[in-house]
Amino acid sequence: MSDLPDTNQALDLEQLRDRYRAERDKRTAAGTGERQYRDVAQGFAHLLDDPYGTAPERSALNDEVDVLVVGAGFGGMMVAARLREAGIAKVRIVDAASDVGGTWYWNRYPGAACDVESYIYFPLLEETGYMPVERYSKAAEIRAHTKRIAEHYDLYRDALFSTQVKALDWDAAAACWTARTDRGDVMSARFVVLTTGPLNRPKLPEIPGIDDFAGHSFHTSRWDYAYTGGSATEPLSGLADKRVGLIGTGATSIQCVPPLAASAKHLTVFQRTPSSVDARDNSPTDPAWAASLQPGWQQRRMENFTAQFTAALPPHDEVNDGWTVLARAVREKLADNPQGLDPGTLLEQADFEKMAQIRERIGRIVEDPATAEALKPWFSLYCKRPCFSDLYLQAFNRPNVTLVETAGYGIDRITPGGVVVGDVEYPLDCLIFATGFETSTSYAKRSGMTIHGVGGQSLTDKWAKGMSTLHGMHTRGFPNLFVISQAQAGMSPNFPHMLSEQSLHLAHIVADCAARGVRTIEPSEEAEGDWVRTILLMAEGRRKFIEACTPGYYNNEGRASEAAARGSPFGAGPTEFVKLLRVWREQGDLAGMELDGEHARGTAKEMQ
């Protein structure tokens, strides 16, 4: 049976395309002007503080490590774990937080949970011998697992927490990096890995009057339980007499609206663009299923999930959830395709049908017709991150919850007493920003550090017109430096899968350099240029889809540019990217890299 509903009449695809375009145009520069965001350092620097831990007193370090890993999220921990497995002795993780976890250290808002299946989202399950307690785990369990990884791989041994790397400078004579921190540390590292991730610096909208609000305010990634009371799983008792406003209706809002609605005297949700919200259908982990799993199950399951978003379209869907619904629908359409339509056309049809189902579900659940209509998304399923909840839509049936639809224009202004949309002011005691993280600012700004490579060139200057890398991980002029991200690399909805593949690849390179006795490694000018041209060529193929989407961080807020295109993922898809890396490793010649200033020759064994 199809995952998509039967309809009494065929969808009018051209009419839907027109509606999608109209909704997009409301939110693009052609309609309302470019979105502006406030640098949190300007008047909101407290949002960069750590409310969950304190910096311990310690003396500044002056020492050496083999590999310095900047960032203690999933990426940093997986990199460090694979380096440990590869026999690299001294690996140091540095993070501004007081513990490991990255995004899951900061995101402790009520209702926080993963929206990708735990069995493929949790890193290193087989290696640590752990099985999540439910299919979509809560934040506390995820955070506990990050500590489990750190303990299993002895990552705490050399780690520095409550510490931010402020500067990285290449020392050509010593062939190493010098790192300086905000705690006075000065460290030398043969290799540096940047795993700060795309979601670490809180983002605020530049709304007139944002500095004037006289009530209490905070960002969801720095949830203020001292004010709200309660916890991630307990009622927010401090809000019982408070009028609360929430700006943003992305994935975070979908999760925190239900507990806010249940606790606040009144909750007002300000919406610019609705999210697609499908059923969550969470469930406890079946012990019999867990016991039946064979070694290697997690890697196979991750690969199967990721492949559902590629042209390969494997015949079997192991995860079988809301993320993979379009792949299942396309398979069914291909099996019954009398018109001989190509897979791309069938995918578009399946997408339209799925979004129609989501809108129909909203109409069934939300009782007020105007509110239901405002909550309906009019864009392709993957234009924005799909969301899943069995509680979000239902919250708008409560008498103490109001949705303020801004028709794509956003909030007009903030006053000392509340928020103004149109001619109406909404009085508030508390204003919560569920406005995400910076993704399009310079790397130096997002990471909080300056990076200077060969000849003192800054990474910000080199990437002023867009990223330039080989495989998304190496950039010429910055030897022995690795960048872990989705830009110019593979991208899967299950981000940890790509982190896993990149960490394996990176550990292979570091171990290979050690075996060869290599002091420096960086991409050749030719190899890096070829990769960037490949990324740009493939990005052009996706441009039509991206430009048709409503603005968001997936498409650089609807602004097309070469710089944005350069930050695109590998266009042939994540599965092909993983294959490319594996073939590269199997060849063993470090193709495209320069070792100690010369093109790589032969394999590690041949060089010994």
Side-chain angles (χ1 to χ4, degrees):
M1 294 292 293
S2 171
D3 290 285
L4 304 179
D6 291 330
T7 55
N8 294 326
Q9 57 184 7
L11 295 173
D12 187 330
L13 300 188
E14 193 53 46
Q15 186 179 48
L16 283 170
R17 293 187 190 106
D18 289 342
R19 177 65 185 270
Y20 282 18
R21 281 192 289 268
E23 293 294 327
R24 176 204 63 197
D25 289 346
K26 289 180 183 179
R27 298 165 174 86
T28 58
T32 64
E34 217 171 81
R35 290 190 188 187
Q36 300 294 325
Y37 293 100
R38 166 69 66 92
D39 183 347
V40 292
Q42 299 175 4
F44 293 87
H46 62 281
L47 293 181
L48 300 175
D49 295 339
D50 183 355
Y52 311 121
T54 57
E57 293 293 329
R58 65 172 180 82
S59 300
L61 296 182
N62 191 327
D63 63 0
E64 299 179 2
V65 295
D66 296 319
V67 184
L68 174 65
V69 181
V70 183
F74 280 178
M77 288 188 296
M78 277 194 270
V79 164
R82 297 310 186 189
L83 287 169
R84 283 269 196 265
E85 292 176 344
I88 307 303
K90 191 141 186 170
V91 179
R92 170 171 291 151
I93 291 178
V94 179
D95 199 287
S98 67
D99 206 341
V100 295
T103 295
W104 292 106
Y105 177 89
W106 299 112
N107 278 341
R108 306 189 187 200
Y109 57 83
C114 60
D115 59 4
V116 170
E117 187 189 69
S118 305
Y119 316 127
I120 59 173
Y121 185 76
F122 276 47
L124 305 168
L125 283 178
E126 288 188 83
E127 290 85 345
T128 57
Y130 184 71
M131 178 59 67
V133 300
E134 56 186 338
R135 194 176 187 191
Y136 302 100
S137 295
K138 309 295 188 299
E141 185 186 5
I142 303 171
R143 197 159 53 250
H145 184 61
T146 65
K147 295 182 179 181
R148 182 178 298 107
I149 294 170
E151 291 165 354
H152 181 84
Y153 287 97
D154 195 20
L155 303 184
Y156 284 120
R157 186 203 323 159
D158 296 308
L160 290 180
F161 296 108
S162 301
T163 302
Q164 185 167 9
V165 175
K166 300 300 291 183
L168 288 169
D169 296 286
W170 175 247
D171 184 338
C176 67
W177 287 92
T178 299
R180 293 176 172 81
T181 77
D182 61 352
R183 304 289 297 275
D185 307 300
V186 180
M187 299 168 281
S188 296
R190 180 66 63 195
F191 297 93
V192 171
V193 188
L194 305 178
T195 65
T196 52
L199 306 177
N200 64 84
R201 186 180 176 89
K203 180 175 67 177
L204 293 177
E206 185 62 275
I207 301 171
I210 191 172
D211 300 291
D212 301 332
F213 184 63
H216 195 75
S217 65
F218 56 87
H219 191 276
T220 50
S221 68
R222 303 293 192 275
W223 195 273
D224 190 351
Y225 283 109
Y227 178 84
T228 66
S231 70
T233 57
E234 297 172 341
L236 308 172
S237 56
L239 300 181
D241 61 345
K242 300 295 190 299
R243 298 163 299 178
V244 178
L246 182 69
I247 298 178
T249 49
T252 296
S253 288
I254 304 313
Q255 294 184 343
C256 71
V257 158
L260 282 171
S263 301
K265 176 182 179 181
H266 196 92
L267 173 65
T268 304
V269 180
F270 298 95
Q271 173 182 278
R272 179 181 173 112
T273 303
S275 287
S276 66
V277 184
D278 209 348
R280 170 73 297 163
D281 294 333
N282 199 5
S283 59
T285 297
D286 180 359
W289 170 80
S292 73
L293 298 171
Q294 299 300 308
W297 69 267
Q298 189 183 30
Q299 182 66 25
R300 290 191 295 272
R301 195 174 183 88
M302 286 193 301
E303 291 177 352
N304 179 268
F305 176 84
T306 295
Q308 304 298 323
F309 303 90
T310 70
L313 205 63
H316 178 61
D317 178 5
E318 290 193 25
V319 173
N320 192 37
D321 70 354
W323 281 99
T324 59
V325 62
L326 292 191
R328 297 195 297 276
V330 170
R331 272 192 293 268
E332 292 183 4
K333 288 178 177 294
L334 284 171
D336 182 20
N337 186 20
Q339 295 177 291
L341 298 175
D342 65 90
T345 300
L346 296 177
L347 175 61
E348 183 187 37
Q349 289 181 355
D351 192 311
F352 278 129
E353 291 168 6
K354 180 59 189 176
M355 294 305 289
Q357 179 198 39
I358 287 173
R359 291 190 292 271
E360 187 272 335
R361 177 174 178 266
I362 292 169
R364 281 189 288 106
I365 292 175
V366 180
E367 296 167 0
D368 177 65
T371 301
E373 192 60 34
L375 287 166
K376 293 178 180 179
W378 296 93
F379 47 77
S380 175
L381 180 63
Y382 298 127
C383 276
K384 293 183 178 293
R385 189 173 182 87
C387 298
F388 307 91
S389 175
D390 298 326
L391 301 171
Y392 175 75
L393 297 172
Q394 292 81 347
F396 292 97
N397 292 331
R398 300 177 64 101
N400 69 321
V401 177
T402 300
L403 177 71
V404 177
E405 164 59 27
T406 69
Y409 286 84
I411 290 167
D412 289 288
R413 66 184 187 277
I414 296 174
T415 69
V419 168
V420 176
V421 176
D423 297 325
V424 180
E425 179 174 5
Y426 298 86
L428 301 172
D429 302 300
C430 175
L431 183 57
I432 303 173
F433 295 97
T435 46
F437 301 87
E438 291 187 12
T439 58
S440 57
T441 53
S442 72
Y443 191 90
K445 183 181 176 184
R446 296 197 309 276
S447 63
M449 63 183 155
T450 60
I451 305 170
H452 292 90
V454 174
Q457 180 186 29
S458 77
L459 187 62
T460 297
D461 287 345
K462 179 176 179 181
W463 287 358
K465 295 183 179 179
M467 283 187 69
S468 181
T469 74
L470 174 61
H471 300 159
M473 298 176 67
H474 325 273
T475 188
R476 184 169 177 77
F478 297 81
N480 298 6
L481 181 75
F482 302 86
V483 180
I484 302 295
S485 78
Q486 296 180 107
Q488 296 195 3
M491 184 175 74
S492 167
N494 183 30
F495 193 26
H497 180 198
M498 293 299 103
L499 294 176
S500 175
E501 298 294 345
Q502 289 171 303
S503 63
L504 286 167
H505 190 71
L506 182 153
H508 168 87
I509 293 172
V510 172
D512 204 357
C513 286
R516 295 169 182 253
V518 169
R519 297 177 78 232
T520 66
I521 181 170
E522 63 179 317
S524 69
E525 183 176 359
E526 179 183 13
E528 183 172 305
D530 286 346
W531 187 254
V532 172
R533 283 187 287 274
T534 295
I535 295 298
L536 288 172
L537 181 63
M538 290 180 169
E540 189 62 30
R542 297 180 66 245
R543 183 170 182 148
K544 182 178 179 182
F545 172 79
I546 293 297
E547 291 183 343
C549 286
T550 52
Y553 74 87
Y554 273 23
N555 65 349
N556 193 41
E557 304 295 351
R559 302 189 298 271
S561 69
E562 181 173 327
R566 279 172 170 257
S568 300
F570 181 64
T575 300
E576 288 303 312
F577 179 74
V578 170
K579 288 180 182 177
L580 182 150
L581 294 187
R582 288 177 181 170
V583 169
W584 188 93
R585 293 196 299 271
E586 290 166 0
Q587 289 173 342
D589 59 358
L590 301 178
M593 305 301 287
E594 291 183 0
L595 312 181
D596 296 334
E598 297 183 359
H599 287 284
R601 296 187 182 90
T603 65
K605 288 184 178 179
E606 293 169 346
M607 297 295 289
Q608 290 176 340

